[in-house]
Amino acid sequence: MSTTRNVAILVGSLRKESLNRKLAKALIAIAPPPLQMEIVEIGQLPLFNQDWEADPPQAVRDFKARIAAADAVLFVTPEYNRSVPGVLKNAIDVGSRPYGKSAWSGKPGAVISVSPGAIGGFGANHHLRQSLVFLDVPALPQPEAYIGHASKLFDEQGALKDDSTREFLLKLLQTYAQWIERNRAR
Ligand code: FNR
């Protein structure tokens, strides 16, 4: 695999000190070739309104163009009330319309949920997968990634403290790279 594969990372938290954003940055730092990953911001998006779906605001057009240009999409999300944070669901909805013009269709996906709690955002992870089925985003089934106790993972600079977590994430990205190759030409 010599060609670069551009992966858009969607982070489901807008918090400055977000653990999910720290994890996304750690992924960017360890991404193996051919993966080239970058965070596509979602906090600037307006709340979806079907009234403007045929003539959307510029922020929506720009966001859809970024997703359309990516080879793959990776979601790194907290769990809010056992489900997907509204800000991430909004971005998914914004990118999905108008019907038949979704930016997500066919992009190989992966889901990582991150929480300071013990369950590692399992509920959000699987609720998100439900939407991805409808959006025709084939989501990497294994390894599953429910990253719990996440407030202990990072040092003061936001770097991963723990070798076993780094190794797990690297293995996940290597498997995801193969998944992208298998699914991108569907
Ligand atoms: C949470 N949190 C949370 N955690 C969890 O494991 N399961 C849950 O259902 C919830 N629900 C929830 C709802 C709301 C509205 C908030 C603000 C928080 C805690 C959450 O995991 C914690 O705040 C994380 O640190 C959020 O992720 P970031 O912002 O650090 O990436």
Side-chain angles (χ1 to χ4, degrees), residues 11-15 17-21 77-83 114-121:
V11 176
S13 169
L14 304 183
R15 196 166 75 88
E17 289 300 317
S18 163
L19 297 165
N20 283 270
R21 182 170 289 266
T77 186
E79 174 176 86
Y80 278 5
N81 301 309
R82 293 283 180 262
S83 189
V114 178
S115 169
I119 306 172

Side-chain angles (χ1 to χ4, degrees), residues 115-162:
S115 169
I119 306 172
F122 175 88
N125 190 306
H126 280 259
H127 279 182
L128 178 53
R129 286 172 185 273
Q130 180 171 323
S131 292
L132 297 183
V133 170
F134 181 69
L135 293 168
D136 194 24
V137 171
L140 179 72
Q142 291 287 342
E144 296 162 280
Y146 316 110
I147 313 288
H149 306 293
S151 38
K152 300 187 182 126
L153 283 183
F154 304 98
D155 66 17
E156 303 270 291
Q157 281 70 48
L160 280 172
K161 285 201 280 195
D162 181 28

Side-chain angles (χ1 to χ4, degrees), residues 7-49:
V7 180
I9 305 182
L10 288 295
V11 176
S13 169
L14 304 183
R15 196 166 75 88
K16 224 184 315 160
E17 289 300 317
S18 163
L19 297 165
N20 283 270
R21 182 170 289 266
K22 285 180 185 169
L23 194 106
K25 287 184 174 167
L27 292 171
I28 291 169
I30 64 169
L35 302 184
Q36 191 157 311
M37 315 179 81
E38 67 176 337
I39 295 172
V40 174
E41 299 295 343
I42 61 174
Q44 78 289 3
L45 293 172
L47 285 178
F48 178 76
N49 182 338

Side-chain angles (χ1 to χ4, degrees), residues 39-63:
I39 295 172
V40 174
E41 299 295 343
I42 61 174
Q44 78 289 3
L45 293 172
L47 285 178
F48 178 76
N49 182 338
Q50 203 174 356
D51 285 343
W52 48 244
E53 115 183 303
D55 184 20
Q58 193 59 42
V60 170
R61 293 176 191 275
D62 293 345
F63 175 73

